[in-house]
Amino acid sequence: MTVVAFSLARFTPADLSEFYEIARPRMERGLWAGVARQTSAEGDQLLVTFPHLDRPVFRFERDRRGTYTLWFHDRQGWHSIGSGSTSTDCLSIWRTRPARVAPPAQVREAY
């Protein structure tokens, strides 16, 4: 039996699942217009578009070294807003953070 190594330049099924878990509710609410995938020997990319905008706004990619990077595009160009050795690390910026609970008010004892 021959085992073929999975290319480091491609998203794994788990990576795609992780991304679409984040993307699906945003698309359902109309915040994101869609997602397009571009794959080449240099890497794999998911491009996020917004409604009424003719260019991608976010780019999630995995390069040929296996590094994940999340990019934001403003009018000046692409800016890295996240990176990591796993898709979970890279996409953590979009994960809902638990609400902070204010510490209980300190009670002063009367002496």
Side-chain angles (χ1 to χ4, degrees):
M1 176 168 82
T2 303
V3 176
V4 178
F6 195 84
S7 170
L8 290 178
R10 298 288 307 266
F11 290 124
T12 67
D15 296 337
L16 295 171
S17 177
E18 175 100 19
F19 178 83
Y20 281 106
E21 184 180 316
I22 292 167
R24 192 170 294 109
R26 287 169 170 81
M27 291 189 319
E28 289 171 354
R29 291 191 313 251
L31 300 173
W32 292 3
V35 176
R37 185 173 181 180
Q38 293 181 349
T39 301
S40 72
E42 296 302 309
D44 213 351
Q45 301 178 357
L46 294 171
L47 302 166
V48 176
T49 55
F50 282 2
H52 312 293
L53 198 57
D54 62 350
R55 61 173 168 74
V57 178
F58 292 109
R59 183 175 79 211
F60 175 52
E61 70 181 19
R62 187 172 190 198
D63 66 22
R64 62 183 167 170
R65 293 180 315 251
T67 303
Y68 298 86
T69 308
L70 181 60
W71 302 87
F72 171 72
H73 189 281
D74 63 11
R75 292 184 177 125
Q76 305 301 314
W78 290 104
H79 307 279
S80 174
I81 59 172
S83 65
S85 58
T86 68
S87 60
T88 303
D89 290 342
C90 185
L91 297 172
S92 67
I93 191 170
W94 282 336
R95 288 281 177 205
T96 304
R97 294 183 179 99
R100 285 191 189 182
V101 176
Q106 292 182 351
V107 178
R108 292 186 181 188
E109 293 183 32
Y111 290 101

